[in-house]
Structures are given as C-alpha cells and as structure tokens.
Amino acid sequence: MSSYSLTHIRELESESIYIMREVFAQFQNPSILFSGGKDSIVVTHLARKAFYPAKMPFPLVHIDTGHNFPETMRFRDDLVKELDARLIVGSVQKSINDGRAAEEKGKNASRNALQTVTLLDTIEEHKFDACIGGARRDEEKARAKERFFSHRDEFGQWDPKNQRPELWNIFNGKHHQGEHFRVFPLSNWTEMDVWQYILMENIQIPSLYFAHDRDVIWRNGAWLPVSEFITVDPKEKVEKRHIRFRTLGDITITGGVESDADTLEKIIEEVASARQTERGSREDDKRSETSMEDRKKEGYL
C-alpha cells in the first residue's frame, strides 16, 4: 500500500474518531446500529479505538429480521463477547407477531422494509438520542444527501431538505424531545477505503466476504443464496458456484458475485477493477429508482 494511501486512510480514521467523540460529548444515550456487515464492523472498531483503553461506551443495536445469514449471527455473538459489549436486539418477528408490521408474500418477499418499524420502536423503547451507522455517501445516491449528523423528527423521519449545515467540522446535535440523530462517521469513506482499512488494522470480518462454494440460483441479475427463507421457482436451477458477497443484508435479498477473492489483498484488487457498485446485487435497491430514499424518509437507516 502506498504512503499516500496510508496517509489518506489515517486522515479518514481521525475524522471518524473525532465524530465518535463528538457523539459521546453531545448526546445522552447514543448507540451503534450493528448489522454484522463490514461497515458496521469498522464503525465498532473505530469506536473502540476512540475510547481505548476505556471500554467502548456505546451499546450495539441489531435489528434482527430473522432472515440473517447464520455466519453473520455467529460473528455478531463472538464480537459482542470479545468486546464485553451490551447487545440490544430488536426483533422484526416480534413486530409481525404484535401486528406492528405485515409479512410480505410472494417469490420476492423480503423483510427488509419491515426493519423500519422495529428500528423506530427500538429507538423509542430505549430512548436513544443518537444512533451511529455505517452508511457511506458513495454507496447510493440517497446516502449522498446525508450529513454526518442526520436529524430525524419525532416520528423518526428524515427530511433531506431540513438538515443542519456542517461547516468547519462543527456539528449541531441539539434536538427537541422525541427527536434523534443518525450519525455516519464513514460518510467520506469509499468501499476501497473500508477494505484498505480492514487490511491495515487486521480487522476480523465474516467469512461471507471471502470467495467460497455455495448453492445459489440466478435471479434478477445476481446469484441468490439458497436458504429456507426463499421459494425456488421450478424454472430456476440450483447451482454450486464459487462466490462472495460485497455487501451483507438479509439472506433473501443479498446477491453474491462469482469470485476467486479469498484474501483481503485479492478483494482489494477485485474492488479496484469492479464496474458495478457494491449494492448493485441488492434486491431491496431494485424495487424502484427511489427505493432507498423512500425507505430513509420513513425512518430506515
């Protein structure tokens, strides 16, 4: 890795750590939204680094759809144990059982949109006034509209036209009762930055990110993993392919890409030559041109 890359990554790290400390200083009850994906893992690593040798002061909040990769759940539990962190789990299944959310039907059914209700209920139950997430501006056009401190109203909704200016790294976290902020310390990072940082810091990540053999079907332009949660159409052929995942979400919506990248160095080489964004194989982003922004306005991360 070049000296320029090293300097660039360390500058991003310093910015993110500064934001973490600002959150701790300005808010009474902040948390980290943890999905088990690489970005939330990096956020957690930065939070630990920001307050070392003290214990990380933020609990990890996982919105469990019930349709997770088993590898992701094992990784989450191992990390929580390693950090001696407090884990708070919001259950989408409980939201469905309580009549707060309605299960989708059909071949392409997903619980992704249902997370919003569970997330907002969890924030309200625990009175979080700031939730730190791993979203980056380069991921998707709606993400690019976010500030570092992203204001949410008393209904948990996001108005991209009603956000605070952020000049000279001055962040305004003032809010009325019932409102809260989503905070995005990785806003200025790219996918490549994240991978280079994971390599530099030797950060452990789920095995799903590395190329491996898996039973998959070809659906909507991506290799979708076969699981108990999807219905395989008789016209669809189950194949064993050597794939990896560039982004992690529900197993029902996360498409893999054929790859031989089984090391961090190979992943970085692959990302450098990629012509599709990392969320290009996510089924939840293909439902409409504004699917992400629509979900965010309703309270999604």
Side-chain angles (χ1 to χ4, degrees):
M1 193 179 298
S2 70
S3 59
Y4 169 78
S5 296
L6 288 170
T7 301
H8 169 67
I9 299 299
R10 289 306 179 197
E11 288 177 351
L12 288 171
E13 178 192 58
S14 295
E15 178 183 65
S16 298
I17 286 176
Y18 170 74
I19 292 166
M20 292 284 190
R21 292 170 177 167
E22 278 293 299
V23 171
F24 184 70
Q26 293 195 39
F27 296 96
Q28 296 297 314
N29 190 25
S31 64
I32 291 176
L33 299 178
F34 186 83
S35 67
K38 67 183 185 307
D39 299 308
S40 65
I41 292 169
V42 167
V43 165
T44 303
H45 178 83
L46 288 163
R48 175 166 56 173
K49 203 166 185 179
F51 299 97
Y52 184 83
K55 183 179 176 179
M56 184 179 70
F58 312 122
L60 300 181
V61 176
H62 179 220
I63 304 304
D64 180 7
T65 64
H67 289 176
N68 300 284
F69 284 92
E71 296 94 328
T72 304
M73 300 300 283
R74 287 195 295 269
F75 183 91
R76 180 201 72 180
D77 293 341
D78 289 344
L79 182 62
V80 167
K81 184 177 181 180
E82 177 194 341
L83 297 177
D84 188 25
R86 179 185 173 205
L87 175 65
I88 295 170
V89 179
S91 169
V92 170
Q93 184 62 57
K94 183 177 184 302
S95 297
I96 294 170
N97 294 344
D98 292 347
R100 296 279 296 151
E103 186 88 77
E104 289 187 3
K105 305 296 182 182
K107 186 175 79 171
N108 294 310
S110 166
R111 286 187 171 184
N112 191 63
L114 278 60
Q115 294 181 83
T116 299
V117 171
T118 308
L119 173 59
L120 294 178
D121 286 349
T122 303
I123 291 172
E124 173 62 25
E125 178 184 352
H126 295 275
K127 307 300 180 187
F128 293 127
D129 53 0
C131 295
I132 306 168
R136 310 185 321 268
R137 292 185 180 126
D138 78 317
E139 285 183 276
E140 202 272 344
K141 57 189 177 184
R143 304 277 204 205
K145 298 179 181 180
E146 291 279 19
R147 302 286 200 270
F148 283 108
F149 278 29
S150 182
H151 176 262
R152 298 300 199 267
D153 65 18
E154 65 271 25
F155 300 106
Q157 297 175 328
W158 173 64
D159 180 0
K161 297 179 180 179
N162 186 29
Q163 298 295 315
R164 290 30 176 332
E166 293 180 342
L167 306 174
W168 305 291
N169 286 338
I170 298 175
F171 304 110
N172 180 1
K174 292 183 179 180
H175 58 283
H176 297 295
Q177 186 173 356
E179 299 175 343
H180 72 277
F181 278 79
R182 308 286 172 84
V183 181
F184 302 110
L186 303 186
S187 289
N188 286 338
W189 296 53
T190 65
E191 182 187 10
M192 178 63 81
D193 295 330
V194 169
W195 282 116
Q196 288 182 327
Y197 188 69
I198 288 171
L199 177 62
M200 285 171 58
E201 295 285 293
N202 193 29
I203 299 171
Q204 297 301 304
I205 56 174
S207 59
L208 296 162
Y209 283 112
F210 299 102
H212 59 286
D213 288 332
R214 200 177 197 102
D215 289 335
V216 292
I217 57 173
W218 183 253
R219 181 182 291 180
N220 298 333
W223 291 109
L224 194 67
V226 174
S227 74
E228 61 183 299
F229 304 116
I230 70 165
T231 301
V232 179
D233 190 283
K235 297 179 181 179
E236 294 174 322
K237 180 182 177 182
V238 177
E239 303 181 48
K240 188 177 289 294
R241 295 277 178 161
H242 203 58
I243 66 166
R244 75 176 195 88
F245 299 95
R246 289 178 67 187
T247 177
L248 295 185
D250 270 9
I251 197 170
T252 59
I253 58 171
T254 304
V257 295
E258 289 193 86
S259 172
D260 293 319
D262 55 4
T263 67
L264 288 173
E265 290 83 358
K266 289 181 180 179
I267 289 175
I268 289 172
E269 290 180 9
E270 187 176 273
V271 170
S273 60
R275 292 295 178 266
Q276 185 183 51
T277 66
E278 63 189 294
R279 292 187 67 94
S281 56
R282 285 284 291 266
E283 288 296 308
D284 48 328
D285 289 350
K286 296 178 181 179
R287 295 195 170 192
S288 76
E289 285 294 318
T290 60
S291 57
M292 174 64 79
E293 183 160 336
D294 293 341
R295 296 199 305 273
K296 288 175 69 64
K297 288 178 178 178
E298 294 172 358
Y300 186 74
L301 176 62

